[in-house]
Amino acid sequence: MAQRAKIQYIRPAFRDLRDYDPFMEASHQFEKAAGCLDLEPWIYQRLKYPERELIVHLPITLDDGSAETFTGFRVQHSTVRGPAKGGIRFSPDASLSEAKALASWMSWKCAVLDLPFGGAKGAVICDPLNMSEAELKKLTKAYTFAIRDIIGPYKDIPAPDMFTNEQTMAWIAEAYGQGIGYLEPAVVTGKPVHMGGSLGRAGATGTGLYYILREVSKYIRYPLEGKRVAILGYGKVGASIARLVDKAGCRIVAVTDIFGGVCCENGLDIAALDKHLEENGSVVGFRNTSPIDNEGLIALPCDILIPAAMEGQIHKDNADYVKADIVLEGANGPTTSEADAILAEKNTLVVPDILANAGGVMVSYLEWVQNLQRYFLTEEEVLERTEKKMKQGFQDVVRTMEENKVSMREAAYILSVGRVAQTLRSLGREY
Ligand code: GLU
């Protein structure tokens, strides 16, 4: 297979500054909630650290005949409320600290929606855009084989995340099935629909984001019609929320992807942008727009800012430039604690990741249930159940926010950490 041209990733500034540690960020957020809940020391210790961290090394023969060893992780933060649940990402920037943070965010996210899952995350350090399909298939199967003992439909259920997709999930199901002797679809969610995937899973995170935005708009009496929206990260999540807010009458003034970005004060034509993206592999160069980078997009005059790329993008050095009234977190951990404090000072409403982007894992939950029952729901049924659950999660967070007079993020943490702590207490898992 022909080698593809090397692609240059655009990395956020903090990567060079080396001043961002994802797990430390996750720990700060947890500690705030733990303080409010006055947790027993053993519960605090149990929830502060992951239950398990597995590091695997995967030697792969590449297309050119050379061999390279890739490092991967699977972190299970919690299995207190059910099997661990969370995606697998392929990324050159993946690290154990990142997987630990993302795994703990999954625990809290599942608890906010009251799903019967704990939290996990996996990653492989690799450059997926510069690997062939054959190489990615080998890497996925080797990774699955290496983590096979700790995953399973009642233990830990992976799903897609950055640079993994339904094909990756199909390979995981196959590799796991080879090990146990039969194909077990419930070991993984986000599969192709023809092999047990759920209808509605593909755009689920974006759909869930939209349900939450609608609830926010009603709660603060902030009509969406005519609002200017900027989306940092026009990937799976960014593109699906773009279509929905566009339909709701918002004006999308800027979007970025890993190659760059485009802005247009009068609003981007989303259908034409999607066509451009399909043809060119990036939003860059879309007609009648000016170029913009992530920092420019964060500082752009707009009403709703949707970070939908990776963690740590809104940090202490750019938070003060945010002009939006609402930051709707499509990504996991896009706002650092220092940035959170700056945004609170400015009265910016931050709708936290563990609530806002929970639509993905919600539909994963429905996929898992359908797989275990070998009985399938229609798309309408999936969407209806997802909307109901997201609305309930929003109401629970708002109630906690009003009762405790805290930010929406703190409320989401108090709610979710409190739920996991309550289960731990009932289990009496103190040693
Ligand atoms: N990767 C997604 C997330 O971060 C989905 C996880 C899942 O469906 O298990 O929420």
Side-chain angles (χ1 to χ4, degrees), residues 85-87 106 109 121 159-161 189 201 332 360-361 364:
K85 183 86 192 78
M106 285 309 301
K109 194 186 296 189
K121 203 75 170 202
D161 199 81
T189 59
R201 178 63 185 84
N332 293 311
V361 74
S364 276

Side-chain angles (χ1 to χ4, degrees), residues 133-333:
E133 169 127 343
E135 289 167 340
L136 288 169
K137 181 169 157 185
K138 279 191 202 173
L139 184 62
T140 305
K141 293 202 171 182
Y143 173 73
T144 308
F145 187 70
I147 65 165
R148 70 193 182 283
D149 289 338
I150 66 163
I151 60 169
Y154 295 102
K155 291 199 222 171
D156 178 356
I157 307 132
D161 199 81
M162 277 172 60
F163 295 112
T164 54
N165 54 29
E166 55 176 46
Q167 175 61 77
T168 324
M169 300 306 116
W171 290 330
I172 293 175
E174 164 65 4
Y176 181 80
Q178 288 286 335
I180 59 168
Y182 59 95
L183 189 72
E184 173 48 80
V187 68
V188 72
T189 59
K191 297 175 294 291
V193 171
H194 61 83
M195 57 167 289
S198 180
L199 292 167
R201 178 63 185 84
T205 308
T207 311
L209 261 184
Y210 180 60
Y211 292 150
I212 293 294
L213 181 61
R214 263 195 341 212
E215 293 307 302
V216 170
S217 132
K218 277 188 254 165
Y219 179 63
I220 62 167
R221 297 198 172 80
Y222 190 83
L224 296 179
E225 177 99 49
K227 292 291 183 294
R228 292 163 304 166
V229 178
I231 303 176
L232 190 147
Y234 201 75
K236 282 181 285 198
V237 178
S240 63
I241 182 71
R243 275 171 228 135
L244 294 166
V245 291
D246 184 48
K247 236 166 121 188
C250 294
R251 191 154 36 108
I252 299 162
V253 289
V255 301
T256 53
D257 62 23
I258 55 169
F259 306 105
V262 290
C263 77
C264 174
E265 176 55 29
N266 296 331
L268 299 161
D269 175 344
I270 294 301
L273 176 67
D274 284 343
K275 195 156 173 276
H276 174 92
L277 177 63
E278 207 185 303
E279 284 161 7
N280 300 278
S282 168
V283 297
V284 173
F286 181 48
R287 63 176 155 77
N288 302 331
T289 62
S290 345
I292 191 165
D293 61 8
N294 285 345
E295 295 302 315
L297 181 139
I298 286 168
L300 198 71
C302 68
D303 304 301
I304 302 167
L305 172 63
I306 308 182
M310 60 189 304
E311 57 285 357
Q313 300 271 2
I314 306 177
H315 47 77
K316 67 174 178 6
D317 300 321
N318 62 16
D320 208 25
Y321 298 121
V322 170
K323 306 206 175 42
D325 300 319
I326 297 174
V327 173
L328 180 70
E329 295 188 333
N332 293 311

Side-chain angles (χ1 to χ4, degrees), residues 44-45 55 63 97-98 105 117 124 163 168 179 189 207 213 226 260 262 269 319 322 335 338 357-358 364 375 385 416:
Y44 169 86
Q45 293 290 334
I55 303 178
D63 293 346
S97 170
E98 183 191 60
W105 287 327
F117 287 136
V124 180
F163 295 112
T168 324
T189 59
T207 311
L213 181 61
V262 290
D269 175 344
V322 170
T335 313
E338 287 167 311
N357 73 33
S364 276
Y375 179 82
R385 284 163 166 79
S416 56

Side-chain angles (χ1 to χ4, degrees), residues 35-153:
C36 286
L37 290 162
D38 200 17
L39 293 181
E40 299 89 314
W42 69 274
I43 293 186
Y44 169 86
Q45 293 290 334
R46 174 67 286 166
L47 299 181
K48 183 168 160 68
Y49 303 103
E51 288 175 13
R52 182 188 252 159
E53 298 165 22
L54 179 61
I55 303 178
V56 295
H57 300 291
L58 314 163
I60 306 293
T61 302
L62 302 177
D63 293 346
D64 64 5
S66 67
E68 196 174 319
T69 298
F70 295 85
T71 297
F73 316 102
R74 184 73 184 168
V75 175
Q76 295 170 347
H77 171 262
S78 175
T79 54
V80 171
R81 287 170 49 89
K85 183 86 192 78
I88 290 170
R89 68 173 52 174
F90 286 173
S91 155
D93 293 320
S95 67
L96 185 58
S97 170
E98 183 191 60
K100 284 162 67 177
L102 291 161
S104 69
W105 287 327
M106 285 309 301
S107 299
W108 313 137
K109 194 186 296 189
C110 292
V112 166
L113 287 200
D114 213 2
L115 302 179
F117 287 136
K121 203 75 170 202
V124 180
I125 305 172
C126 64
D127 195 355
L129 296 182
N130 287 307
M131 291 173 72
S132 69
E133 169 127 343
E135 289 167 340
L136 288 169
K137 181 169 157 185
K138 279 191 202 173
L139 184 62
T140 305
K141 293 202 171 182
Y143 173 73
T144 308
F145 187 70
I147 65 165
R148 70 193 182 283
D149 289 338
I150 66 163
I151 60 169

